[in-house]
Amino acid sequence: MVVSSPYLIGLLEEVSHRAVRDLYEPGEASVGTRIDVSHVAPAFPGREVVAQAKLETVEGRRLRFSVAAHQDGRSIMHGMHERAVVRLESFLATDPGTPPRHAGQGSIEFFFDYHSPWCYFAALRLGAVAARLGREVVWKPMHLARLIERIDGRRPLEANAAFVHWFKSDMQDWAEALGVELRYHPDFPLRPVRALRATVYAAQQGRAESFVLGVMRAYWSESKDISDAHQLADIGVAVGLDRSAVLASIDDPTCKSAIEANTQEAQDRGVFGAPSFFCDGKLFWGNDRLGQLEEYAQRSRHDHPPGG
């Protein structure tokens, strides 16, 4: 099993974005416009891949980077990547099929918990789906175990042995397809509540996606202790958050109440597991339903054009 080219390309795009994100003006971001790379050697799951980006030229709002990925001292991928600095409001309005954006409308709501590896897979894919649709993601961390207890919901790992065997095999198939390593933490299940609260803070700072992916990777690929406050602070710093603020968020009453509110909202809206998504009010459950969500959103765009 090897790490896929799309996953490595995603790393190179992400590291290019991080290299310059602190230089953006408020309301600005950058989007990839071109990537030209050579995949020169295999990369293997479970071993660190180092991605590097160097800003070579700036021409107006166009940025050009040299990029490279290495593993164990070997060159894996190298080439160039271009990004354009955009004003988010005007950029998201460029698609004539995208309905006017208002708070709570035109977004994809993502109810998730770190306890579920399926949420890891969904988080890896959701950003690209939302970008293709020209929609924002509203990240809603919830306490899955509490939801399941309240509604007496599904507990897949308590099912019959044949189902559990298939279930875990299917997880590994998804992990391989996405180019990530999946392994159960030796102390599974870890309590996710601290990570969930810190996620509320990360979302407030516009860092939800990168923080969620960092925590998911730490838990499900690297066997790190996501219940440890200092591990969470390290992840926060890596995605551009303030260490002391991440630590403070863990005991912040506002963050605590936000998790409870999300969990109650999920229950009230008929959520019965994770990952769950709402798109234009319709519920989609499961990582494998993201394709259906995207098709639904595209049909909705054509069936209900602006002003129609």
Side-chain angles (χ1 to χ4, degrees), residues 103-152:
Q105 296 182 352
S107 60
I108 300 172
E109 299 169 274
F110 179 31
F111 287 86
F112 67 96
D113 189 341
Y114 294 109
H115 187 68
S116 167
W118 299 106
C119 291
Y120 182 18
F121 301 151
L124 284 167
R125 305 168 61 213
L126 183 57
V129 171
R132 287 194 294 269
L133 294 171
R135 296 186 181 227
E136 297 173 331
V137 178
V138 179
W139 300 78
K140 294 199 169 183
M142 67 172 181
H143 201 297
L144 179 60
R146 194 167 298 163
L147 173 71
I148 296 302
E149 187 66 30
R150 290 175 182 175
I151 66 173
D152 193 24

Side-chain angles (χ1 to χ4, degrees), residues 65-80:
F65 300 83
S66 58
V67 292
H70 298 81
Q71 185 179 70
D72 301 332
R74 297 177 300 114
S75 176
I76 302 301
M77 181 176 282
H78 60 79
M80 59 75 62

Side-chain angles (χ1 to χ4, degrees), residues 88-104:
L88 281 173
E89 184 176 359
S90 57
F91 174 74
L92 294 173
T94 56
D95 182 351
T98 301
R101 288 178 173 270
H102 305 289

Side-chain angles (χ1 to χ4, degrees), residues 166-234:
W166 171 85
F167 188 76
K168 290 187 174 182
S169 175
D170 193 43
M171 286 183 197
Q172 293 298 338
D173 290 343
W174 271 99
E176 181 175 356
L178 291 170
V180 297
E181 182 176 12
L182 179 74
R183 59 190 183 204
Y184 273 85
H185 195 285
D187 297 320
F188 178 84
L190 297 175
R191 294 188 62 189
V193 64
R194 287 180 168 180
L196 293 171
R197 294 171 187 168
T199 304
V200 174
Y201 165 70
Q204 292 170 346
Q205 302 303 308
R207 294 285 192 267
E209 182 174 13
S210 55
F211 184 76
V212 169
L213 289 174
V215 176
M216 289 289 191
R217 187 181 308 112
Y219 190 9
W220 288 105
S221 292
E222 300 170 351
S223 296
K224 293 182 179 178
D225 185 0
I226 66 159
S227 66
D228 182 272
H230 296 287
Q231 295 260 16
L232 294 172
D234 288 344

Side-chain angles (χ1 to χ4, degrees), residues 38-59:
S38 298
H39 195 162
V40 296
F44 301 99
R47 289 147 62 179
E48 184 180 40
V49 174
V50 178
Q52 300 171 314
K54 179 181 179 182
L55 181 61
E56 299 287 358
T57 61
V58 178
E59 298 177 3

Side-chain angles (χ1 to χ4, degrees), residues 296 298-305 308:
Y296 173 82
Q298 290 170 340
R299 289 199 306 271
S300 177
R301 174 186 298 174
H302 294 306
D303 292 344
H304 304 284

